[in-house]
Amino acid sequence: LLSCGQKSILAVDADPNACLGITLGVESIRTIADIREKSRQKKPTNEGMDRARSFEYEIQQAISEAKDFDLLTMGRPEGPDCYCAANNILRKFLSKLNSAYDYVVMDNEAGMEHLSRRTTDNVDLLCIVADPNPVGILTVQRIAELARSLPIAAKEIGVIWNRSKKGPEVEGTRNWGSIPYDESIYDASMNGKTVLDIQLDCPAFLAVQKIFRNKL
């Protein structure tokens, strides 16, 4: 998005194993899970605010500001308790944040559970990233079927095939393109570099840029 000249971007790390901040080179200040745990231990400290407004204020303070985008992190699971509370907070607050940013990009954990929890809802583009092998193709089919069976508002469901020159067509989804295997991406990951350190002329970046230019 940044390479396409887009501004006002919020990146949301909705994976309990939060790594998006590391990938983007941004340190998360606080997480929604931290805020929830704090609320369980004591009453909201902001005088004159009800509980919902206090949560909203706390989440606003948890947004990390980078040079060209902001980052909001879900955080760790809640131990033996259910993770539903943090998901509900995130879902309600994201609906308000949508109007404040041109783009909200949410990174979920691999699998289908985030759809069942409806963390991902009311989206323009539901992007499935998969390898073009039998297991990956079956996973794409299952995710698309689940998304259609749930009360989730997704205007378009598409697939980006990973480590491939060309992926197959899967019924119920759009083939948005493929990202070839790129040795420079592997090297960057092994050396602890961020995605912002990747060379703009490497094959993987050019493929991603082409996909997003077609979707914007």
Side-chain angles (χ1 to χ4, degrees):
L1 289 174
L2 293 174
S3 69
C4 296
Q6 305 301 323
K7 299 298 181 181
S8 185
I9 301 171
L10 174 66
V12 179
D13 190 347
D15 190 335
N17 180 29
C19 296
L20 184 59
I22 297 174
T23 304
L24 296 174
V26 180
E27 183 178 356
S28 178
I29 302 173
R30 297 176 63 194
T31 70
I32 292 178
D34 292 335
I35 296 170
R36 181 188 181 279
E37 290 303 310
K38 176 183 176 182
S39 71
R40 292 175 61 182
Q41 298 172 11
K42 59 182 180 180
K43 297 180 179 179
T45 57
N46 301 295
E47 296 182 3
M49 291 187 179
D50 58 24
R51 192 174 187 83
R53 290 184 61 197
S54 179
F55 265 125
E56 183 173 332
Y57 173 81
E58 295 277 5
I59 295 175
Q60 284 279 9
Q61 300 304 306
I63 296 176
S64 301
E65 297 182 359
K67 178 182 177 181
D68 298 311
F69 61 90
D70 293 344
L71 172 68
L72 179 62
T73 303
M74 169 79 81
R76 65 187 184 282
E78 300 167 10
D81 297 329
C82 176
Y83 201 23
C84 299
N87 285 308
N88 288 334
I89 296 169
L90 177 60
R91 183 169 61 249
K92 292 178 181 178
F93 189 66
L94 278 180
S95 64
K96 296 183 179 181
L97 282 180
N98 282 339
S99 60
Y101 292 89
D102 293 329
Y103 292 91
V104 177
V105 182
M106 182 185 297
D107 176 34
N108 291 292
E109 75 271 29
M112 300 189 293
E113 188 177 356
H114 63 91
L115 291 173
S116 299
R117 294 195 308 258
R118 292 181 62 196
T119 303
T120 307
D121 194 7
N122 191 28
V123 297
D124 294 310
L125 304 176
L126 178 58
C127 179
I128 307 170
V129 180
D131 291 338
N133 54 41
V135 174
I137 294 171
L138 179 60
T139 300
V140 170
Q141 292 173 336
R142 288 174 173 172
I143 291 176
E145 290 172 359
L146 179 60
R148 288 193 296 269
S149 68
L150 296 173
I152 295 174
K155 294 181 181 178
E156 186 177 342
I157 301 176
V159 186
I160 295 178
W161 297 105
N162 194 31
R163 294 189 288 255
S164 171
K165 293 183 179 180
K166 185 178 181 181
E169 300 289 337
V170 177
E171 185 178 356
T173 67
R174 294 181 181 273
N175 190 337
W176 289 343
S178 301
I179 303 173
Y181 175 79
D182 191 331
E183 191 72 25
S184 66
I185 303 298
Y186 174 81
D187 292 340
S189 175
M190 293 300 294
N191 288 287
K193 295 183 179 180
T194 73
V195 295
L196 302 179
D197 296 321
I198 296 172
Q199 295 296 318
L200 301 185
D201 59 351
C202 73
F205 180 87
L206 293 175
V208 172
Q209 187 180 56
K210 180 180 178 181
I211 291 171
F212 277 92
R213 286 191 185 279
N214 290 336
K215 300 309 300 178
L216 295 178

